[in-house]
Amino acid sequence: MPLFSHRSSASSGSAGSAPLPSFYSAKPVKPSKPFSAFSSTRIPWPILVFSLLCLLIGLAGTLFALSAIRRNQPLPIFRCGTSEDTFRSFYSSLDSGKLGDDSNKGLVDRPKLLGFVGIQTGFESGERRSALRSTWFPSDPDGLLRLEQATGLGFRFVIGKSKDVKKMAMLEKEIEKYRDFMLTDVEEEYLKLPYKTLAFFKAAFKLFEADYYVKADDDIYLRPDRLATLLAKERSYSMTYIGCMKKGPVITDPKLKWYEKSGHLIGNEYFLHAYGPIYVLSAEVVASLAAARNDSLRMFNNEDVTIGSWMLAMNVHHEDNRAICDPRCTPTSIAVWDIPRCSGLCNPASKLKELHKIGMCSKSPTLPPDDI
């Protein structure tokens, strides 16, 4: 029954009764239209607001879809576990084409290089990094990229972590300025160097497809062009360990430098291994290290001895090259440091700048591969 319709009683239908008002009529009464000249075209404002909101959402979705179509592939996060390449992460947020492959497909997850060089550094080595950036190591991301393109070598400072909040804050500021670090998830301290070195090789292998991986310290003067020439040489061994090879007595006195806690496992003399300031491992060697569980490899006190022990177990070819441990700049020197007085340059922050001013160190030409 329609709302507000009523049936009249028998007395209400008599001839003498007054007529009922129209809103009590037995028939439904249609609501009267408002008297307005514009009633047929006016849109209620809630509907108008809702329509505009839907339009904006539609436009936003269209723009997002267009940007997704134009992007060839999503930008990767350049991490290996908690290790990170701050340089490539920086360029991924700016211009993926700069670090892309030849087909312009944007950033690749594991770029191909002749060699990847990790400059091992620490929280107390700010002056050394500053000296390096004012000499042979580029001081800005574009310079680092140009060096990589010119030599086929990628360079990063490699550093661990610290529980000191102030040190980590200072590191963040330096990263923000230079973007030239590889961060590893290892506590930065001397006794942890073997663990840091293993973490570096694992992260470098996951992040870069290089023919060779180079571990170097932040207190040597390096010629990247000559290092590239050395690595580009033809070799008949796929598992190669390049460095200045040495032997020496095992130090078992805890009061002396280079004390070896596990010296009883080695004997009186160390096996053949490379000096620590710089050495090179081929890709196949590093692949084996990357696949190894961290607790499956023996760690000695000294990092260079630790690496040398792994190389013995892996049956690699030891390539002795004195050009990467030259005590002075020569036409063939690749890495210069004060061997054997110091494990690196003595007073490196000042010595690096002194060497860079010498033409034989910084400006002499690169010789053909057969002469290096």
Side-chain angles (χ1 to χ4, degrees):
M1 179 182 298
L3 203 58
F4 297 123
S5 62
H6 300 268
R7 295 181 181 274
S8 57
S9 60
S11 60
S12 65
S14 59
S17 62
L20 289 173
S22 61
F23 52 84
Y24 280 107
S25 172
K27 294 182 179 180
V29 179
K30 294 182 180 180
S32 60
K33 295 182 180 179
F35 182 73
S36 173
F38 306 100
S39 61
S40 61
T41 58
R42 181 177 295 172
I43 302 174
W45 69 266
I47 297 178
L48 182 61
V49 171
F50 179 75
S51 300
L52 290 174
L53 182 61
C54 290
L55 178 61
L56 291 175
I57 294 174
L59 287 174
T62 302
L63 291 174
F64 178 79
L66 288 174
S67 65
I69 292 171
R70 291 183 63 185
R71 183 183 297 172
N72 291 316
Q73 62 180 24
L75 293 176
I77 298 173
F78 301 102
R79 291 181 178 272
C80 169
T82 53
S83 298
E84 179 184 357
D85 177 16
T86 61
F87 174 76
R88 296 183 68 230
S89 295
F90 168 70
Y91 268 113
S92 72
S93 64
L94 292 183
D95 184 1
S96 61
K98 284 192 175 183
L99 296 180
D101 56 15
D102 294 337
S103 58
N104 260 343
K105 292 183 179 179
L107 286 166
V108 292
D109 291 333
R110 199 165 172 257
K112 175 69 175 175
L113 296 172
L114 171 62
F116 181 78
V117 185
I119 308 297
Q120 311 297 307
T121 190
F123 288 95
E124 310 300 329
S125 298
E127 290 186 0
R128 295 185 185 184
R129 292 191 295 274
S130 178
L132 285 171
R133 293 190 185 105
S134 67
T135 57
W136 65 266
F137 194 101
S139 60
D140 62 274
D142 285 342
L144 202 59
L145 179 59
R146 288 192 297 271
L147 179 61
E148 179 178 314
Q149 294 171 339
T151 62
L153 304 179
F155 289 86
R156 304 288 188 276
F157 287 112
V158 182
I159 195 168
K161 62 183 181 180
S162 174
K163 296 178 181 178
D164 190 317
V165 177
K166 291 184 179 180
K167 288 182 178 180
M168 292 301 293
M170 290 180 65
L171 176 61
E172 287 296 330
K173 290 181 180 179
E174 191 173 350
I175 291 172
E176 185 70 24
K177 184 175 182 180
Y178 296 106
R179 304 290 182 172
D180 53 8
F181 283 89
M182 172 181 280
L183 310 177
T184 63
D185 189 28
V186 177
E187 199 73 24
E188 191 66 51
E189 58 179 88
Y190 181 78
L191 293 178
K192 292 289 184 67
L193 284 181
Y195 297 91
K196 178 185 175 182
T197 303
L198 178 59
F200 156 66
F201 281 122
K202 287 192 171 191
F205 182 76
K206 294 292 185 183
L207 293 171
F208 298 91
E209 183 184 355
D211 295 332
Y212 296 92
Y213 297 85
V214 184
K215 179 266 177 184
D217 289 343
D218 60 4
D219 54 359
I220 65 173
Y221 188 90
L222 186 65
R223 283 288 298 264
D225 53 341
R226 294 181 183 172
L227 177 60
T229 303
L230 171 66
L231 300 184
K233 291 175 65 174
E234 291 288 337
R235 291 178 174 83
S236 55
Y237 300 94
S238 61
M239 299 186 69
T240 304
Y241 174 35
I242 308 171
C244 286
M245 300 297 166
K246 64 169 181 172
K247 287 185 178 181
V250 177
I251 307 300
T252 56
D253 186 348
K255 298 179 181 179
L256 298 178
K257 191 177 183 180
W258 316 124
Y259 164 66
E260 186 56 68
K261 183 179 180 181
S262 301
H264 62 283
L265 298 175
I266 302 171
N268 296 325
E269 186 181 56
Y270 282 119
F271 38 79
L272 188 69
H273 64 283
Y275 278 99
I278 181 172
Y279 53 83
V280 183
L281 302 181
S282 64
E284 192 169 327
V285 176
V286 177
S288 298
L289 294 180
R293 287 168 34 194
N294 287 353
D295 57 355
S296 66
L297 298 172
R298 182 176 294 279
M299 300 287 183
F300 291 98
N301 279 30
N302 299 297
E303 168 256 333
D304 54 350
V305 173
T306 301
I307 296 294
S309 69
W310 299 343
M311 297 304 100
L312 284 180
M314 295 169 66
N315 192 31
V316 304
H317 173 69
H318 290 61
E319 183 178 317
D320 185 24
N321 192 309
R322 296 288 145 175
I324 61 176
C325 59
D326 210 322
R328 65 191 184 282
C329 293
T330 69
T332 59
S333 58
I334 298 173
V336 177
W337 46 283
D338 293 319
I339 181 175
R341 289 189 299 135
C342 299
S343 181
L345 289 170
C346 304
N347 303 314
S350 59
K351 191 67 177 290
L352 282 165
K353 297 177 181 178
E354 292 174 11
L355 291 174
H356 196 63
K357 294 177 181 178
I358 302 173
M360 181 61 71
C361 294
S362 59
K363 297 179 182 178
S364 58
T366 302
L367 297 177
D370 293 340
D371 296 329
I372 293 182

